[in-house]
Amino acid sequence: KRHSRRHLNTRPRGRRLSADGPPMLSKRNLSLLLLPFAGVPLFQWARSMPQADLHDNSPHAPDAATLALIAARTRATNAAAGRADVAKVKAGGVSGGASSSSGGSSGGGSSGRNISGVAVQGCPASRKPFHVVLTATADNYQSWQCRIMYHHWQRVRDSDPAGRCTELTGFTRLVASPGGRPDGLEAEIPSHFTPEYEPADISRFHGYRVINRPRSVTYFLKSARYAALQEEYLLVAETDHVLLQPLPNLDTS
């Protein structure tokens, strides 16, 4: 009798039978089910921690001489690009890249800007050139995203059916970096650097590092680089954007 009773009372382990419903999860299985969600706060905390800084004293960090060389090369590259774009505009070509994001002077035009660098003779009066401002941080992941975005911006600008009358005339990578220091990518992409929030500040925003975006735009709008832009319009883009075809400026004001 004892043997048969033991077999009759056997039920699946780990599941509690309900009197009027399907089997219910045990506390152990329910804990295993909720375990992945417990890792979310840990992930957010890890994201709020400071990332490796290229300007620290680690063996792989560039020294002061290397940083100075990068800065000198960047100035030479931007100057050469500016001269080339000025010559292109005089010849009736397309202005773009470094010159439209770093050249020009204030004054003139309805917005107080000198837009002669982006004005092209023979283009329709409805043409409204705009400058793309790509907000980013200085980490490796977003650096590669910026490379992809800038590559496609150049490709779309050069293949625009409007030709020399394209409205894609300027590009700036707006970077929130530790202390606002350059990260070396400015030699490839026209860039402007602003200080990013300290880890203690990021923790106040629950590890939400994207809060650097509006702050960097605020810094940019007060900078000499912004004052030197020749376009009347800005398109503020994000690193997960990719430009696949010409984007017309539809402003009607």
Side-chain angles (χ1 to χ4, degrees), residues 228-253:
L229 295 186
Q230 299 172 345
E231 295 87 357
E232 293 188 55
Y233 298 88
L234 296 181
L235 170 65
V236 182
E238 298 183 16
T239 51
D240 54 357
H241 292 169
V242 175
L243 198 60
L244 298 179
Q245 58 186 359
L247 189 66
N249 187 344
L250 301 179
D251 178 67
T252 58
S253 60

Short mmCIF file of all heavy atoms in Angstrom, two decimals, residues 228-253:
data_model
loop_
_atom_site.label_atom_id
_atom_site.label_comp_id
_atom_site.label_asym_id
_atom_site.label_seq_id
_atom_site.Cartn_x
_atom_site.Cartn_y
_atom_site.Cartn_z
N ALA A 228 30.98 81.17 -37.80
CA ALA A 228 31.62 81.21 -39.11
C ALA A 228 30.88 80.40 -40.16
O ALA A 228 31.23 80.45 -41.34
CB ALA A 228 33.05 80.68 -38.99
N LEU A 229 29.86 79.64 -39.77
CA LEU A 229 29.11 78.85 -40.76
C LEU A 229 28.46 79.77 -41.77
O LEU A 229 27.98 80.85 -41.44
CB LEU A 229 28.04 78.00 -40.07
CG LEU A 229 28.51 76.89 -39.12
CD1 LEU A 229 27.31 76.07 -38.65
CD2 LEU A 229 29.52 75.99 -39.80
N GLN A 230 28.39 79.32 -43.01
CA GLN A 230 27.84 80.14 -44.08
C GLN A 230 26.39 79.78 -44.41
O GLN A 230 25.72 80.53 -45.10
CB GLN A 230 28.72 80.00 -45.32
CG GLN A 230 30.15 80.47 -45.08
CD GLN A 230 31.05 80.16 -46.26
OE1 GLN A 230 30.70 79.37 -47.13
NE2 GLN A 230 32.22 80.77 -46.30
N GLU A 231 25.93 78.62 -43.95
CA GLU A 231 24.56 78.22 -44.23
C GLU A 231 23.58 78.88 -43.26
O GLU A 231 23.92 79.12 -42.10
CB GLU A 231 24.40 76.70 -44.14
CG GLU A 231 25.19 75.93 -45.18
CD GLU A 231 26.62 75.64 -44.75
OE1 GLU A 231 27.02 76.11 -43.66
OE2 GLU A 231 27.34 74.97 -45.50
N GLU A 232 22.36 79.14 -43.72
CA GLU A 232 21.33 79.71 -42.85
C GLU A 232 20.59 78.62 -42.09
O GLU A 232 19.87 78.93 -41.12
CB GLU A 232 20.34 80.51 -43.69
CG GLU A 232 20.93 81.75 -44.33
CD GLU A 232 19.86 82.61 -44.98
OE1 GLU A 232 18.90 82.99 -44.27
OE2 GLU A 232 19.97 82.89 -46.18
N TYR A 233 20.73 77.37 -42.50
CA TYR A 233 19.98 76.27 -41.89
C TYR A 233 20.92 75.21 -41.35
O TYR A 233 21.99 74.95 -41.91
CB TYR A 233 19.04 75.62 -42.93
CG TYR A 233 17.99 76.54 -43.49
CD1 TYR A 233 18.26 77.34 -44.60
CD2 TYR A 233 16.72 76.62 -42.92
CE1 TYR A 233 17.30 78.19 -45.13
CE2 TYR A 233 15.75 77.47 -43.44
CZ TYR A 233 16.05 78.25 -44.54
OH TYR A 233 15.11 79.09 -45.05
N LEU A 234 20.49 74.60 -40.23
CA LEU A 234 21.22 73.48 -39.64
C LEU A 234 20.31 72.25 -39.59
O LEU A 234 19.12 72.37 -39.30
CB LEU A 234 21.67 73.79 -38.21
CG LEU A 234 22.67 74.92 -37.98
CD1 LEU A 234 22.99 75.02 -36.49
CD2 LEU A 234 23.94 74.69 -38.78
N LEU A 235 20.89 71.08 -39.88
CA LEU A 235 20.20 69.82 -39.65
C LEU A 235 20.99 69.08 -38.58
O LEU A 235 22.12 68.67 -38.79
CB LEU A 235 20.15 68.97 -40.93
CG LEU A 235 19.66 67.53 -40.74
CD1 LEU A 235 18.21 67.51 -40.28
CD2 LEU A 235 19.83 66.71 -42.01
N VAL A 236 20.39 68.93 -37.39
CA VAL A 236 21.06 68.24 -36.29
C VAL A 236 20.74 66.75 -36.42
O VAL A 236 19.59 66.33 -36.27
CB VAL A 236 20.60 68.78 -34.92
CG1 VAL A 236 21.33 68.07 -33.79
CG2 VAL A 236 20.86 70.29 -34.85
N ALA A 237 21.77 65.94 -36.70
CA ALA A 237 21.61 64.51 -36.93
C ALA A 237 22.20 63.71 -35.78
O ALA A 237 22.96 64.25 -34.96
CB ALA A 237 22.27 64.11 -38.25
N GLU A 238 21.86 62.43 -35.72
CA GLU A 238 22.38 61.54 -34.70
C GLU A 238 23.25 60.47 -35.34
O GLU A 238 23.19 60.23 -36.55
CB GLU A 238 21.22 60.89 -33.93
CG GLU A 238 20.34 61.88 -33.20
CD GLU A 238 19.26 61.18 -32.40
OE1 GLU A 238 19.38 59.96 -32.17
OE2 GLU A 238 18.30 61.85 -32.00
N THR A 239 24.04 59.79 -34.51
CA THR A 239 24.99 58.80 -35.04
C THR A 239 24.32 57.57 -35.62
O THR A 239 24.96 56.83 -36.37
CB THR A 239 25.97 58.37 -33.93
OG1 THR A 239 25.22 57.99 -32.77
CG2 THR A 239 26.91 59.49 -33.57
N ASP A 240 23.06 57.31 -35.28
CA ASP A 240 22.39 56.15 -35.87
C ASP A 240 21.61 56.53 -37.12
O ASP A 240 20.80 55.74 -37.61
CB ASP A 240 21.47 55.47 -34.84
CG ASP A 240 20.47 56.44 -34.22
OD1 ASP A 240 20.54 57.64 -34.54
OD2 ASP A 240 19.64 55.98 -33.42
N HIS A 241 21.85 57.72 -37.65
CA HIS A 241 21.27 58.13 -38.92
C HIS A 241 22.22 57.80 -40.07
O HIS A 241 23.44 57.88 -39.91
CB HIS A 241 20.99 59.64 -38.94
CG HIS A 241 19.91 60.06 -37.99
ND1 HIS A 241 19.65 61.38 -37.68
CD2 HIS A 241 19.01 59.33 -37.27
CE1 HIS A 241 18.65 61.45 -36.82
NE2 HIS A 241 18.25 60.22 -36.55
N VAL A 242 21.67 57.43 -41.21
CA VAL A 242 22.45 57.23 -42.43
C VAL A 242 21.70 57.91 -43.57
O VAL A 242 20.51 57.64 -43.77
CB VAL A 242 22.66 55.74 -42.75
CG1 VAL A 242 23.37 55.57 -44.09
CG2 VAL A 242 23.47 55.05 -41.66
N LEU A 243 22.38 58.78 -44.28
CA LEU A 243 21.77 59.51 -45.39
C LEU A 243 21.89 58.66 -46.65
O LEU A 243 23.00 58.36 -47.10
CB LEU A 243 22.49 60.85 -45.57
CG LEU A 243 21.76 61.94 -46.36
CD1 LEU A 243 20.44 62.31 -45.70
CD2 LEU A 243 22.65 63.17 -46.48
N LEU A 244 20.75 58.28 -47.23
CA LEU A 244 20.75 57.39 -48.40
C LEU A 244 20.38 58.10 -49.69
O LEU A 244 20.63 57.58 -50.78
CB LEU A 244 19.79 56.22 -48.17
CG LEU A 244 20.12 55.30 -46.98
CD1 LEU A 244 19.08 54.21 -46.85
CD2 LEU A 244 21.51 54.70 -47.14
N GLN A 245 19.78 59.27 -49.58
CA GLN A 245 19.41 60.02 -50.78
C GLN A 245 19.38 61.51 -50.44
O GLN A 245 19.33 61.86 -49.26
CB GLN A 245 18.04 59.57 -51.32
CG GLN A 245 16.91 59.73 -50.32
CD GLN A 245 15.61 59.16 -50.83
OE1 GLN A 245 15.54 58.66 -51.95
NE2 GLN A 245 14.57 59.24 -50.03
N PRO A 246 19.43 62.39 -51.44
CA PRO A 246 19.44 63.82 -51.15
C PRO A 246 18.23 64.21 -50.31
O PRO A 246 17.10 63.79 -50.58
CB PRO A 246 19.40 64.47 -52.54
CG PRO A 246 19.99 63.43 -53.44
CD PRO A 246 19.58 62.10 -52.88
N LEU A 247 18.49 65.02 -49.30
CA LEU A 247 17.43 65.46 -48.39
C LEU A 247 17.12 66.92 -48.70
O LEU A 247 17.93 67.80 -48.40
CB LEU A 247 17.89 65.30 -46.94
CG LEU A 247 16.84 65.52 -45.86
CD1 LEU A 247 15.76 64.46 -45.93
CD2 LEU A 247 17.50 65.48 -44.48
N PRO A 248 15.96 67.20 -49.31
CA PRO A 248 15.65 68.60 -49.66
C PRO A 248 15.29 69.42 -48.43
O PRO A 248 14.72 68.91 -47.47
CB PRO A 248 14.45 68.46 -50.62
CG PRO A 248 13.79 67.19 -50.18
CD PRO A 248 14.90 66.27 -49.74
N ASN A 249 15.63 70.68 -48.49
CA ASN A 249 15.24 71.61 -47.43
C ASN A 249 13.84 72.13 -47.78
O ASN A 249 13.66 72.93 -48.70
CB ASN A 249 16.25 72.76 -47.36
CG ASN A 249 16.00 73.68 -46.19
OD1 ASN A 249 14.94 73.67 -45.58
ND2 ASN A 249 16.98 74.50 -45.86
N LEU A 250 12.83 71.69 -47.03
CA LEU A 250 11.45 72.00 -47.33
C LEU A 250 10.91 73.21 -46.56
O LEU A 250 9.70 73.43 -46.53
CB LEU A 250 10.56 70.78 -47.03
CG LEU A 250 10.92 69.50 -47.81
CD1 LEU A 250 9.99 68.37 -47.41
CD2 LEU A 250 10.85 69.74 -49.30
N ASP A 251 11.80 73.99 -45.94
CA ASP A 251 11.35 75.14 -45.19
C ASP A 251 10.67 76.14 -46.13
O ASP A 251 11.15 76.40 -47.24
CB ASP A 251 12.54 75.83 -44.50
CG ASP A 251 12.12 77.07 -43.75
OD1 ASP A 251 11.38 76.93 -42.76
OD2 ASP A 251 12.48 78.18 -44.19
N THR A 252 9.54 76.67 -45.71
CA THR A 252 8.78 77.62 -46.54
C THR A 252 8.66 78.99 -45.89
O THR A 252 7.91 79.83 -46.37
CB THR A 252 7.36 77.07 -46.81
OG1 THR A 252 6.70 76.83 -45.55
CG2 THR A 252 7.43 75.78 -47.60
N SER A 253 9.37 79.22 -44.78
CA SER A 253 9.23 80.50 -44.08
C SER A 253 9.96 81.59 -44.86
O SER A 253 10.84 81.30 -45.68
CB SER A 253 9.82 80.38 -42.68
OG SER A 253 11.19 80.04 -42.72
#
